[in-house]
Amino acid sequence: MHEFVNFNRRIIPAADSFLSAVSTAALYGKGIFTTVAFYDSKPFQWEKHRRRLSAAADKLRIDLSDLTGEKLKGALLEIAETNRLKRGRARLTIFDESASRLWQTEAKNKTNFLIQTADFRAVAESARLTVSPFPVNSKSPLAALKTCNYLENVLASEDTKARGFDEAIRLNERGEAVSATLANVFWVKNGAIFTPALETGCLSGTTRAFIAENFSVVETKTTLNEIIEAEEVFLTSAGIGIVKIKSLDSINFPAVSPKTDELKDFLRRLTER
């Protein structure tokens, strides 16, 4: 992580950013976030991130009336310039600072926002997958949302790393493939690209949407077997881009991955102009 953050339009050292300990954000994790990729000092797919933040805020009843997309983008560019971020990632978090109804606390602000920047996550050229023992509840009110209540994803990721794998496929309560712990999952079969449907409980990732806009992608509800039988598997997120999967537990995928390479080249050409 870089030295400075943007906290409510103030550029300050990261260690000096504080939330109210009695806010709903601190007490219950009520807040939303998104991670934006930066290429050539510009936020990639910003409008998709803005729309997703707005939709999540509406669903969780977080008041964004004081935080326009223009204001948030301005703050994003400001901290990127301060931290000299040319190529990397920025996390924009919006905290609900409204009063807690359970504890009758008072609040000075409706929301606070924090933007922090860092280099891209370090990932291997190809990664090893396993299956996470932690299912996704597709009926949860938090399903498909990037909220500050993200500990379940983090614990699933840490469990994966502790078992010696790079990432893990998570299934929902019906046994349908949903996503990786911190990324969307795609696979290729008979030359066609597939990804789990949003109804499974997966996040509508901005890189996922980018691929669906530029390539023919079939959204489906299916079991793990479809992925096991795939010709290629890859993960996507703003923080890692597109990462090829070389194995799923003891199953090795073909070394040659033409479709994944095509998508990676397409993204590279677009972001290195």
Side-chain angles (χ1 to χ4, degrees):
M1 180 175 160
H2 299 150
E3 181 179 0
F4 295 99
V5 300
N6 192 322
F7 188 65
N8 294 332
R9 295 304 299 266
R10 292 186 301 121
I11 304 295
I12 58 176
D16 294 342
S17 53
F18 297 98
L19 287 176
S20 168
V22 295
S23 66
T24 53
L27 292 175
Y28 314 116
K30 190 176 180 183
I32 53 179
F33 76 94
T34 192
T35 301
V36 184
F38 265 72
Y39 299 102
D40 193 25
S41 303
K42 299 181 181 65
F44 187 61
Q45 302 284 298
W46 164 249
E47 190 57 28
K48 288 184 177 63
H49 288 280
R50 185 201 64 77
R51 289 197 302 265
R52 190 173 67 187
L53 283 170
S54 179
D58 287 344
K59 189 168 184 178
L60 296 180
R61 298 179 183 176
I62 297 175
D63 189 343
L64 296 187
S65 58
D66 294 334
L67 295 179
T68 64
E70 184 178 347
K71 180 184 289 187
L72 290 175
K73 185 177 181 181
L76 193 63
L77 293 173
E78 189 177 15
I79 190 60
E81 182 178 3
T82 299
N83 285 335
R84 300 179 181 178
L85 179 68
K86 292 186 176 181
R87 186 179 180 89
R89 58 197 163 115
R91 170 171 161 151
L92 193 164
T93 308
I94 299 173
F95 303 98
D96 188 338
E97 289 286 290
S98 61
S100 167
R101 295 181 181 179
L102 293 177
W103 289 96
Q104 299 297 308
T105 56
E106 297 194 6
K108 295 180 180 179
N109 304 317
K110 296 176 183 177
T111 57
N112 282 318
F113 74 84
L114 172 73
I115 306 175
Q116 55 201 112
T117 66
D119 297 333
F120 281 123
R121 284 166 51 196
V123 292
E125 187 68 24
S126 56
R128 298 171 59 243
L129 271 183
T130 186
V131 180
S132 174
F134 307 116
V136 172
N137 177 8
S138 67
K139 303 299 182 183
S140 167
L142 300 181
L145 299 177
K146 292 190 82 167
T147 77
C148 294
N149 233 305
Y150 213 58
L151 184 58
E152 189 172 296
N153 297 70
V154 171
L155 291 175
S157 177
E158 290 178 350
D159 170 77
T160 299
K161 298 294 175 59
R163 291 192 283 137
F165 293 91
D166 300 298
E167 254 289 11
I169 296 291
R170 297 185 69 191
L171 310 177
N172 65 18
E173 73 278 10
R174 297 183 297 274
E176 298 166 340
V178 178
S179 65
T181 65
L182 300 175
N184 287 111
V185 62
F186 289 78
W187 62 96
V188 178
K189 194 170 183 180
N190 297 324
I193 305 172
F194 297 85
T195 196
L198 297 180
E199 292 82 2
T200 64
C202 83
L203 175 75
S204 180
T206 57
T207 308
R208 175 186 184 275
F210 166 77
I211 291 174
E213 285 178 359
N214 292 281
F215 295 85
S216 178
V217 175
V218 179
E219 297 190 17
T220 184
K221 291 185 282 186
T222 190
T223 64
L224 188 65
N225 286 338
E226 283 293 307
I227 300 178
I228 291 173
E229 297 170 357
E231 300 152 11
E232 304 174 41
V233 180
F234 60 92
L235 304 181
T236 69
S237 79
I240 63 173
I242 300 172
V243 174
K244 173 186 173 181
I245 296 302
K246 63 181 178 182
S247 64
L248 172 54
D249 287 327
S250 61
I251 299 164
N252 293 316
F253 297 108
V256 179
S257 52
K259 188 63 69 173
T260 304
D261 291 341
E262 179 186 354
L263 269 62
K264 291 179 71 171
D265 287 343
F266 181 80
L267 177 62
R268 187 181 301 113
R269 290 196 306 270
L270 194 66
T271 56
E272 291 182 354
R273 289 185 298 183

